Amino acid sequence: MPLLPRTRCSACHTLGPQDGELGGLRSVGPDLLGVTRQRDRQWLARWLKEPDRMLAEQDPLATNLFQQYNKVAMPNLQLGEQDIQALMQYMDDETLRQVKR
């Protein structure tokens, strides 16, 4: 796993089932497997960049996620464009890898 997902994302999110993990464990935030296929890429890139602003603007999807995950807000991790693109590529690659199983 690249450094960014390990240091910034994995405390709150999973990316598909992990080796030895019991099924049904719920993390703080949603599992990210397939998220780049499920969400509009522009929306997702903005969410990674400024989730706090999207919640303040009452973006419907952001608000729904906030409600669904016990009103725990995703923090603004101050990610740059390169970090965001690298994260999205990692999620794409990992989804493809796991779906092929």
Side-chain angles (χ1 to χ4, degrees):
M1 175 187 301
L3 185 60
L4 187 60
R6 187 177 16 180
T7 60
R8 302 277 184 99
C9 308
S10 65
C12 297
H13 298 280
T14 54
L15 190 57
Q18 306 301 308
D19 291 336
E21 181 180 89
L22 297 174
L25 289 179
R26 184 170 177 171
S27 56
V28 174
D31 181 77
L32 300 176
L33 188 69
V35 72
T36 56
R37 295 177 180 185
Q38 298 165 356
R39 303 277 186 244
D40 175 80
R41 289 185 80 83
Q42 286 184 325
W43 183 93
L44 185 58
R46 183 169 182 229
W47 178 244
L48 292 170
K49 185 175 181 73
E50 51 188 19
D52 51 338
R53 291 187 79 187
M54 292 179 76
L55 282 169
E57 294 168 0
Q58 297 182 357
D59 174 270
L61 183 51
T63 302
N64 180 279
L65 288 168
F66 178 70
Q67 295 296 327
Q68 185 177 352
Y69 288 91
N70 300 315
K71 298 184 179 179
V72 175
M74 179 161 149
N76 185 326
L77 299 173
Q78 304 296 312
L79 299 175
E81 291 303 318
Q82 285 184 318
D83 291 331
I84 290 167
Q85 293 309 313
L87 266 177
M88 291 176 63
Q89 185 63 54
Y90 174 71
M91 290 185 285
D92 279 339
D93 293 346
E94 190 60 19
T95 296
L96 184 61
R97 184 187 72 80
Q98 289 191 43
V99 170
K100 282 185 173 183
R101 286 187 189 173

